[in-house]
Amino acid sequence: MQLEVITLALSFALCGTFPWHQTYLGQEANPRAEPCPSADLIVPCECWEEEEIAGVASMRCDSVDAAHVLDTVFLQDFPNPNLMSFTVSHSSLGHLHQDIFHGKTFQSIRLTGGGVSSLAPGVLDNSRETLTRCFVNDNQLKNFSLQDLHLFPHVDALYLSNNQLLSIDALVGMPEQSTLSAFYVSSNYLTSLHPDVFKSVPGISSLRLDNNRLTHLSPRIFYPLYKLEVLAIYGNTILQLGTGDLWFSTPILRSLDLRNNGPGLLWEADVFRGVGYDTKVYVSNNRFHKLEYDVFGPVLKNVSTLYGFVDFVGKHFYCDCSVLWLVMDETLQRHAYSAICKNFTYVDDLDRDVMMAECATGPMVIRDGEDGGS
């Protein structure tokens, strides 16, 4: 009897340790279902399991001829309808209707390459709680449902560059969406920005507005962006920068790119605030006629290098008494080293003493505390 008990106990122990659920060849008798449907059912798309997360798939469709192909693909039975990513490139998708994804969700979606003309409202609603990155760049979009961005609380990157957007003012008045970090709307048709356009997305750290048709900015328009690190406004046609237009609350602004903004850009006093020593400010290929202290003095004192400043001032302004403040401060002259005045005189060749004597009773007298000297 005692022997039978020992034998029975040993049998239970072995059953708990021996992999009876596997075949002797080390293969599963009941293999786990793949997260993708059969490959022949989703041609021309392909689906694969993510290495990092078992049971989660990603999909890619290249050279898709029309949106109805996606209708066929997503009508298939997916063992796991929650995809990590979905990519379509170099395709002619046209209009994406609301039900095209048939209940599938995504963490990242990329629709790039010229094929999307419009997105139906709600086309990504199934991914409200999962979507983190959305790329709909290099298409022909004329509008995008930015007013619904707050419904996607985890989106941290939205790329809408190289489309035909006329405005992003739909963000105005939207409930706050604080997770958006990268917002790219370069190479669109934007002509203006509402003064409050960024109040609903204060967490942006990288903002690209370059190569649009902006003609002006508004005072404090970027002030709500307390995490801003990179701002690109180059390649627009901004005619004037006024007081407060480039005021920043962020302590970590790394790059401010203002290049190529038209042939007659006018600058008012106190344009810049919040630009620090480590901020790279790019100003090349802009023209102006007066190098005024109230405009450029503060920023030249604050930044280590004003990139393109020589090109900025070169041959387009008069070296008269209005530049005496720069001539008197050797620490600021380094920004204008080798810059040439309109009469082909180098700024660093200007005689400080001669200019001080000529300007003492001239059109401008340097005020105390503004000459930058000792």
Side-chain angles (χ1 to χ4, degrees):
M1 180 67 179
Q2 185 176 6
L3 180 61
E4 292 177 353
V5 172
I6 294 174
T7 301
L8 182 61
L10 182 60
S11 298
F12 277 118
L14 290 173
C15 287
T17 58
F18 191 80
W20 293 101
H21 62 288
Q22 294 182 346
T23 67
Y24 289 106
L25 296 177
Q27 298 177 341
E28 295 182 358
N30 297 303
R32 175 178 55 79
E34 293 294 327
C36 298
S38 298
D40 59 327
L41 297 178
I42 60 173
V43 174
C45 302
E46 59 178 338
C47 178
W48 65 92
E49 184 175 11
E50 288 289 335
E51 295 182 358
E52 297 83 0
I53 307 176
V56 175
S58 288
M59 286 190 63
R60 183 179 185 94
C61 305
D62 290 329
S63 302
V64 178
D65 292 332
H68 69 81
V69 175
L70 295 187
D71 279 326
T72 303
V73 168
F74 284 108
L75 276 174
Q76 306 306 319
D77 182 24
F78 283 64
N80 184 352
N82 304 309
L83 281 74
M84 176 70 73
S85 67
F86 175 58
T87 301
V88 178
S89 63
H90 304 99
S91 303
S92 300
L93 297 181
H95 173 73
L96 298 188
H97 63 78
Q98 184 173 0
D99 299 321
I100 193 169
F101 296 128
H102 298 287
K104 308 303 186 292
T105 70
F106 314 102
Q107 291 188 34
S108 173
I109 186 166
R110 297 172 181 263
L111 308 174
T112 65
V116 182
S117 60
S118 59
L119 298 170
V123 68
L124 294 174
D125 276 0
N126 288 322
S127 300
R128 284 186 179 183
E129 294 301 323
T130 60
L131 194 65
T132 60
R133 299 200 157 200
C134 183
F135 301 78
V136 198
N137 47 292
D138 302 302
N139 289 286
Q140 294 98 38
L141 288 178
K142 291 183 171 61
N143 55 66
F144 189 84
S145 300
L146 289 170
Q147 68 275 7
D148 296 330
L149 183 60
H150 69 285
L151 301 176
F152 298 81
H154 307 296
V155 168
D156 64 12
L158 179 57
Y159 292 74
L160 301 174
S161 297
N162 295 301
N163 279 289
Q164 300 173 19
L165 300 179
L166 299 174
S167 174
I168 58 172
D169 289 351
L171 290 171
V172 177
M174 183 192 75
E176 183 175 302
Q177 204 279 18
S178 59
T179 63
L180 186 64
S181 177
F183 186 36
Y184 288 15
V185 284
S186 56
S187 299
N188 278 282
Y189 298 163
L190 307 183
T191 58
S192 63
L193 300 170
H194 190 281
D196 299 327
V197 68
F198 299 119
K199 287 186 176 180
S200 61
V201 282
I204 292 176
S205 63
S206 181
L207 175 61
R208 291 197 56 171
L209 300 164
D210 51 282
N211 292 307
N212 276 282
R213 302 175 181 180
L214 298 174
T215 59
H216 66 281
L217 300 175
S218 298
R220 294 176 173 262
I221 189 171
F222 302 113
Y223 209 77
L225 304 178
Y226 64 95
K227 293 183 178 180
L228 189 62
E229 297 185 38
V230 177
L231 174 60
I233 326 177
Y234 64 84
N236 283 281
T237 54
I238 297 175
L239 302 177
Q240 182 171 347
L241 285 174
T243 300
D245 284 358
L246 295 174
W247 286 13
F248 303 100
S249 62
T250 174
I252 50 177
L253 186 65
R254 295 188 290 107
S255 176
L256 171 59
D257 199 333
L258 302 168
R259 294 171 296 152
N260 303 318
N261 262 296
L265 183 61
L266 300 177
W267 301 68
E268 295 181 357
D270 204 9
V271 169
F272 301 93
R273 284 193 188 179
V275 178
Y277 184 78
D278 294 326
T279 305
K280 294 180 173 64
V281 182
Y282 301 87
V283 293
S284 60
N285 294 327
N286 292 293
R287 294 186 182 183
F288 66 99
H289 303 290
K290 288 188 177 181
L291 191 64
E292 298 171 327
Y293 173 83
D294 290 342
V295 176
F296 297 103
V299 68
L300 289 176
K301 287 185 176 183
N302 286 340
V303 302
S304 61
T305 304
L306 197 60
Y307 292 89
F309 186 65
V310 171
D311 172 62
F312 189 25
V313 302
K315 300 181 182 179
H316 296 300
F317 73 102
Y318 293 98
C319 287
D320 54 18
C321 295
S322 64
V323 302
L324 182 56
W325 62 272
L326 180 62
V327 176
M328 293 179 66
D329 192 330
E330 294 182 357
T331 62
L332 299 184
Q333 281 191 54
R334 60 186 172 84
H335 291 291
Y337 178 76
S338 77
I340 305 175
C341 306
K342 204 172 186 68
N343 62 355
F344 299 101
T345 301
Y346 284 92
V347 172
D348 47 327
D349 285 341
L350 295 173
D351 191 297
R352 169 178 174 174
D353 295 331
V354 171
M355 288 193 69
M356 287 183 63
E358 292 180 350
C359 296
T361 57
M364 187 200 81
V365 177
I366 301 299
R367 298 185 293 271
D368 291 342
E370 294 191 353
D371 61 1
S374 56

